Amino acid sequence: KVQGIRGNGNYKSTDGGQTCTQLSSTLPNGVSSPWTAVGKLESDPNNANRIYAATRGGFYVSDDAGATWTAGVSGSGICRDMTITPSGNIWLKQGLRSFKSDASGSNFTEISGGVLPRTGSRMRFAVSPQDENYAYAIEVDGNGRFAAAYQTTDGGATWKTIGTFNLLLNPHNNQGNYN
């Protein structure tokens, strides 16, 4: 069963998008390659040569503008999305676990396992640009339906549930697995 269209890696432009060249380091080498599905690419706010990729094979980091890539978080699993703050902290979910980095973007700490669950469902993060201690996570269930919303006010050390699915609160209308 084929779902969607497999990607062909990442492309780079150095002229404002007039031309693009494929990053050979991301050329997929089979259907299970992480580069066949990339959910998000972002550059580090403090280092333009540092690029982060959320892929079907996990979270990857390049320190040379995409020439080479290394796994950014140990373990395996899909990383569909990430959020990078102005100071350089990265919030992401890979596999069943959620993580937050320090400002270097290199050292990650798991922030899931308590109120913020370890789950195979999709989860997205939003962080306040005024105070990075305030962050929110939205979780959808396996059917793409809103499951719960969570809030932290201490940078991810503790979380509280601020909303759960009910017939009046389903903002995704069963489309939460899509962007």
Side-chain angles (χ1 to χ4, degrees):
K1 180 177 178 183
V2 176
Q3 294 180 346
I5 299 171
R6 283 194 308 266
N8 197 25
N10 296 327
Y11 291 76
K12 177 179 177 178
S13 175
T14 57
D15 58 10
Q18 296 296 315
T19 61
C20 295
T21 55
Q22 186 178 39
L23 295 173
S24 60
S25 60
T26 67
L27 183 64
N29 58 359
V31 296
S32 62
S33 168
W35 303 108
T36 59
V38 178
K40 192 169 192 179
L41 284 172
E42 282 207 39
S43 61
D44 187 290
N46 305 306
N47 178 356
N49 284 320
R50 186 159 209 185
I51 303 169
Y52 305 105
T55 78
R56 71 174 284 159
F59 176 72
Y60 285 86
V61 179
S62 174
D63 284 315
D64 52 16
T68 61
W69 296 85
T70 57
V73 175
S74 64
S76 62
I78 295 171
C79 180
R80 292 185 180 176
D81 194 33
M82 65 187 145
T83 298
I84 302 174
T85 67
S87 69
N89 290 314
I90 303 165
W91 300 66
L92 63 91
K93 181 177 172 295
Q94 176 175 293
L96 301 176
R97 303 181 307 159
S98 297
F99 298 90
K100 178 189 171 193
S101 77
D102 61 9
S104 74
S106 299
N107 303 305
F108 286 85
T109 302
E110 183 177 1
I111 56 174
S112 55
V115 172
L116 188 69
R118 289 182 174 169
T119 176
S121 299
R122 185 172 189 184
M123 190 175 289
R124 293 190 70 172
F125 293 95
V127 182
S128 169
Q130 288 80 26
D131 185 345
E132 294 182 11
N133 285 309
Y134 284 79
Y136 301 86
I138 298 292
E139 176 191 7
V140 299
D141 66 17
N143 295 316
R145 184 177 64 189
F146 172 76
Y150 307 92
Q151 178 192 44
T152 180
T153 59
D154 57 11
T158 61
W159 292 86
K160 67 179 178 180
T161 303
I162 58 173
T164 57
F165 172 80
N166 64 57
L167 293 177
L168 298 175
L169 183 58
N170 184 15
H172 301 112
N173 195 26
N174 296 6
Q175 296 294 305
N177 285 325
Y178 303 98
N179 288 332

